[in-house]
Amino acid sequence: MSRMISIFDTTLRDGEQSPGATMNVAEKVSIARQLARLGVDVIEAGFAFSSSGDFEAIRTIAHEIEGPTICSLARAKSADVECAWKALEGGQNVRIHTFISTSDIHLKYQFRLTRDEALKRAVEVVAQAKSYVEDVEFSPMDATRSDEMYLYEVIEAVIAAGAKTVNIPDTVGYTTPEEFYHLIQGIRKGVANIDQAVISVHCHNDLGLAVANSLSAISAGAGQVECTINGIGERAGNTSLEEIVMALRTRKGFFQADTAIVTEEIMRSSRLVSKITGMSVQPNKAIVGANAFAHESGIHQDGLLKERMTYEIIRPESVGAGKTSLVLGKHSGRHAFKARLEALGYHPNEADLNKAFERLKTLADKKKEIFDEDLEAIISDEMGRPTEAFRLISFHAESGSETKPTATVTLSVHEQVIEKMGHGDGVVDAAYKTIAQMTKTKSRLCAYIVKGITGGTDAMGEVTVTVEEAGRRITGHGADTDIIIASVQAYLSALNQLAALGSKENAGEKKVGLI
Ligand code: KIV
Ligand code: ZN
């Protein structure tokens, strides 16, 4: 009989700590919706105390997303725990996840606390969290570099104070599968009240061992794995959700463990996270990479044609790969559009729905077939739009082998219409230079990625750009059948987000770090 392993997704918290992966509230909510469809057990929706954006995202997700438990991170500080509770209050299934380091390196150099002081703080915050909510998780940060006897003592004390889950983080990605196995076994034997809590693991991928370490911990008795879509996260990232889930599903007999994940939703989740964060998935990435199911060698192709099992251990359809469904056409009405969006998990307000429907009609005039991916590109674009400081009114470009690339852009800049013409090394360059002058942005363009969403020359093109200003990276998206228009929209979307953040900061808001 297989044990069920709880999947704790931290894409919206640790994943967001990837450089440049900052997400706005609407983007976080759309990922949370997809995570619920994927069937994760817990969504760590953010770190409530860190910013009003995180607070709002956690609050909205806790109130709107049904199914998974919604969790907020909180440092071992009373104000953090109270803030986490305020964000979660009123949600159906909610959890507070609090943490403090237990390694001497962290305690001495960073927290400047003695072991006894850290232990006392851990117990106090767990007790405080417990006064608000039944479901409390505690993490001894940098557990894998902590003294084992002290680690056992802290774990025993927080369980006695009410923690229902104790998470063992390999914060710096330092451990190895065998060592981690023994640590989890040691905790199971050395902590007297361990049967009153679930052991969770949270591995970072600095040595490329996060998935292997997590699987090893499962073999040693861990009941929850913390992971992220596409393995995104701080530095080299976290345990990749899709890899852990498919390892357990494919080798169920070996691990005697499985998860409740709806694996057919894996690919869609991966694409959504990649699009929103602007972090591309490497082509050879296991499970979700573009080449994960591509067989190049003649010998392999021959084997596959005779019997798929010869070279295929996972059916691509089982993770939702290679599947695009034709959904709507030129004559589809607003009702069908809304129903399809709802089936995909989007619940736009009337204004966003109307704007998206207008775009769908324009798209249907240009493109014969419309797929789910097209709808998702349009709706997530509309729902993710912040209040627009800069709005495109019209755009005209000229280019050719004998022509100097020229862009003429008409923008509404803070409600004032202005037009400008400029040149560049290509039309995108001409458009971006012109827009930069018109908006007076001080940001620098760091990444520009174009992707075809569906096949054919009439396919929608999706452009993702990352800009940087004052050390902060922001990602913008645009989708259109014309990639130059998509490029302009993506750039404006990033500049609008920067403008929105700038006005929040002028109003005194700042994001707090983890320590
Ligand atoms: O890596 C880590 O230790 C963390 C904790 C906050 C759980 O992310
Ligand atoms: Zn982490």
Side-chain angles (χ1 to χ4, degrees), residues 10 13-14 17 44 73 97 99 137 139-143 167 169-172 202-204 226 234-235 238 514:
T10 183
R13 199 277 296 169
D14 216 324
Q17 286 169 226
E44 187 164 53
L73 186 70
H97 174 196
F99 72 98
E137 173 170 331
S139 291
M141 189 157 78
D142 206 18
N167 178 45
D170 182 27
T171 304
V172 289
H202 175 112
C203 296
H204 279 271
E226 303 201 353
E234 188 86 37
R235 304 181 311 279
N238 290 60
L514 272 189

Side-chain angles (χ1 to χ4, degrees), residues 177-302:
E178 217 179 327
E179 186 183 64
F180 205 41
Y181 180 93
H182 290 299
L183 178 62
I184 302 302
Q185 285 267 303
I187 291 169
R188 290 184 68 195
K189 289 189 191 121
V191 176
N193 54 3
I194 196 67
D195 57 325
Q196 292 166 36
V198 173
I199 300 179
S200 168
V201 288
H202 175 112
C203 296
H204 279 271
N205 204 30
D206 299 65
L207 296 174
L209 292 172
V211 172
N213 288 336
S214 305
L215 287 171
S216 191
I218 290 171
S219 297
Q224 175 179 282
V225 173
E226 303 201 353
C227 45
T228 59
I229 302 289
N230 299 337
I232 65 169
E234 188 86 37
R235 304 181 311 279
N238 290 60
T239 299
S240 136
L241 179 147
E242 57 279 5
E243 291 179 23
I244 207 88
V245 164
M246 290 315 290
L248 293 178
R249 186 67 50 91
T250 310
R251 302 300 311 275
K252 199 149 85 182
F254 177 79
F255 288 107
Q256 295 290 301
D258 199 0
T259 69
I261 292 295
V262 181
T263 60
E264 289 77 9
E265 291 293 333
I266 284 180
M267 207 65 192
R268 187 194 298 284
S269 311
S270 165
R271 287 200 198 112
L272 182 67
V273 169
S274 170
K275 180 191 158 211
I276 286 179
T277 59
M279 294 180 72
S280 312
V281 173
Q282 76 196 55
N284 60 327
K285 161 94 173 60
I287 318 297
V288 292
N291 295 347
F293 301 102
H295 298 268
E296 185 72 20
S297 115
I299 298 179
H300 288 205
Q301 287 173 354
D302 176 60

Side-chain angles (χ1 to χ4, degrees), residues 472 498-510:
R472 183 174 34 216
L498 270 181
L501 277 174
S503 39
K504 273 191 183 173
E505 269 170 16
N506 287 341
E509 191 192 311
K510 269 217 166 64

Side-chain angles (χ1 to χ4, degrees), residues 291-317:
N291 295 347
F293 301 102
H295 298 268
E296 185 72 20
S297 115
I299 298 179
H300 288 205
Q301 287 173 354
D302 176 60
L304 275 170
L305 288 172
K306 291 176 176 146
E307 167 56 58
R308 286 172 79 168
M309 274 187 335
T310 50
Y311 291 97
E312 204 171 78
I313 61 163
I314 298 169
R315 280 182 306 110
E317 311 85 83

